[in-house]
Amino acid sequence: MTIRWSTRTKKVAVGAGVLLASLGIGGTAFAATGSTTGQTPSTATKGTHPKLRALLRHSVVDTRVVKTKTGYVTIESIKGTINAVDPTSITVAAGNGTQVTATIGANTRFVRVTQASLATGDKVGLVEVGSAARLIVGPKAAVSPTS
């Protein structure tokens, strides 16, 4: 049986996979997109070359241009600190000085953070498609040692 994914699902999965890999987060990129097809592909980082995984884990800003049925779409991911946030937009600055501003809308997914909990100075990962934020990922929770 062949699984056919929509172009939007592919773009979100690729963008989320790049972001999650750059944040060093394990698991599947597909699961992070929240797809409801019931089928899950293999993990985004499983089976890839270790040097590629290391490159993605340490990347700060990544821009990809993807060809779709309606034209070309720019997917940008950034890992950094929130400079400004309001109910409709977010600005994230990377350590190298690059800033990305994206609009927050109904299609924006939040992982390990909520829109209400976002504040200036928080560290997040952001995947932007066009100019719209599609995925905002908070840092992993710190594991406290049990003694």
Side-chain angles (χ1 to χ4, degrees):
M1 179 175 156
T2 303
I3 299 172
R4 302 215 45 147
W5 292 0
S6 70
T7 303
R8 178 175 176 233
T9 302
K10 289 177 190 175
K11 290 188 296 187
V12 172
V14 168
V18 168
L19 176 68
L20 296 175
S22 69
L23 289 173
I25 300 169
T28 64
F30 190 75
T33 64
S35 179
T36 58
T37 62
Q39 301 275 344
T40 57
S42 61
T43 59
T45 57
K46 185 177 181 180
T48 59
H49 198 277
K51 289 183 181 179
L52 176 61
R53 290 178 65 193
L55 176 67
L56 292 173
R57 185 173 45 250
H58 295 289
S59 67
V60 178
V61 178
D62 182 39
T63 303
R64 307 242 176 193
V65 178
V66 180
K67 185 176 180 180
T68 66
K69 293 177 186 176
T70 59
Y72 293 94
V73 176
T74 302
I75 300 173
E76 189 162 13
S77 64
I78 185 169
K79 178 172 52 171
T81 306
I82 298 175
N83 276 359
V85 63
D86 61 51
T88 60
S89 70
I90 184 171
T91 301
V92 178
N96 67 352
T98 304
Q99 285 192 349
V100 173
T101 300
T103 57
I104 297 174
N107 293 330
T108 303
R109 296 196 176 276
F110 296 90
V111 177
R112 288 192 300 273
V113 293
T114 62
Q115 186 172 358
S117 70
L118 294 175
T120 303
D122 289 351
K123 294 198 179 293
V124 295
L126 169 70
V127 174
E128 174 189 44
V129 178
S131 63
R134 292 298 176 125
L135 182 67
I136 299 175
V137 180
K140 286 184 178 179
V143 179
S144 59
T146 55
S147 302

